[in-house]
């Protein structure tokens, strides 16, 4: 059920035939893990919060640096020195206080990554290193959770979707391992 505030907040996307009330309710019931709150994870988190994804799990062990600000748009000057998760939570709460935010402020080891992946419906890998990508992929395959993997290097980008629930879907390791 959407309350009056939510109906007003999401009215423009509810009007879209491919979203409507049912789609907005599915967004509200969704739980998404975003691994990495840098150049890719920052705008992803902003848009998912604004769209009304009900629960965002935010994972990043880093702190905001002044050199991050021109590309990591979720953070601002007052966030320099804060954990990226705390900075993001502050901004996302201001954008949409209706959603739930679950912080993961430390590097996720095998056990905590497995638990984080199991707790969500979808995982977004917005990291910038292969060992983390491999670990996130392995956790998604083990838990049977879909993985959206994005990468941006200089002026180029990649986007891949892996869904271990589908037998014909490869995994990240199948392509890059």
């Amino acid at each position: 059920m959407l309350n009056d505030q939510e109906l007003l907040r999401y009215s423009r996307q509810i009007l879209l035939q491919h979203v409507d009330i049912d789609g907005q309710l599915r967004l509200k019931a969704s739980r998404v893990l975003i691994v990495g709150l840098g150049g890719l994870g920052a705008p992803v988190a902003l848009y998912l919060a604004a769209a009304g994804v009900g629960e965002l799990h935010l994972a990043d062990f880093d702190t905001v640096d002044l050199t991050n600000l021109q590309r990591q748009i979720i953070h601002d000057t007052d966030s320099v020195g804060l954990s990226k998760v705390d900075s993001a939570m502050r901004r996302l709460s201001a954008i949409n206080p209706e959603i739930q935010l679950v912080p993961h402020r430390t590097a996720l080891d095998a056990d905590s990554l497995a638990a984080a992946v199991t707790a969500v419906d979808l995982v977004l890998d917005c990291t910038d290193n292969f060992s983390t990508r491999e670990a996130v992929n392995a956790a998604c395959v083990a838990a049977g959770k879909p993985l959206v993997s994005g990468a941006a290097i200089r002026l180029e980008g990649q986007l891949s979707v892996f869904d271990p629930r589908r037998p014909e879907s490869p995994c990240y390791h199948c392509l890059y391992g």
Side-chain angles (χ1 to χ4, degrees):
M1 181 93 182
L2 298 173
N3 63 38
D4 289 346
Q5 258 325 92
E6 291 169 319
L7 287 169
L8 182 59
R9 176 185 292 272
Y10 307 123
S11 61
R12 300 284 174 109
Q13 63 197 40
I14 289 170
L15 289 174
L16 298 172
Q17 178 183 355
H18 290 73
V19 177
D20 68 36
I21 293 286
D22 289 336
Q24 193 62 49
L25 287 169
R26 283 195 307 277
L27 285 171
K28 183 178 179 176
S30 297
R31 300 164 300 154
V32 176
L33 170 62
I34 303 169
V35 183
L37 293 168
L40 287 177
V44 164
L46 289 168
Y47 277 109
L48 292 180
V53 170
E55 193 173 292
L56 293 177
H57 294 236
L58 308 171
D60 200 308
F61 60 85
D62 205 1
T63 57
V64 179
D65 186 81
L66 185 63
T67 62
N68 300 144
L69 299 183
Q70 95 290 354
R71 68 191 187 287
Q72 298 179 13
I73 59 173
I74 202 166
H75 311 297
D76 58 31
T77 304
D78 290 339
S79 298
V80 171
L82 290 178
S83 84
K84 287 185 179 180
V85 169
D86 290 337
S87 170
M89 288 178 67
R90 182 176 66 191
R91 182 79 183 276
L92 297 173
S93 293
I95 288 171
N96 191 344
E98 301 278 341
I99 63 171
Q100 300 298 310
L101 300 171
V102 178
H104 300 275
R105 294 180 185 90
T106 58
L108 297 172
D109 62 18
D111 291 336
S112 60
L113 181 57
V117 167
T118 300
V120 298
D121 305 307
L122 175 68
V123 177
L124 304 176
D125 178 358
C126 301
T127 63
D128 58 5
N129 69 72
F130 287 108
S131 61
T132 302
R133 289 181 178 282
E134 285 282 346
V136 170
N137 172 72
C140 288
V141 169
K145 300 291 179 152
L147 168 64
V148 177
S149 180
I153 302 168
R154 291 177 277 300
L155 297 176
E156 297 179 8
Q158 295 177 344
L159 180 66
S160 302
V161 178
F162 306 101
D163 190 348
R165 301 169 303 178
R166 300 179 65 175
E168 74 278 6
S169 178
C171 70
Y172 184 86
H173 183 78
C174 297
L175 297 178
Y176 300 106

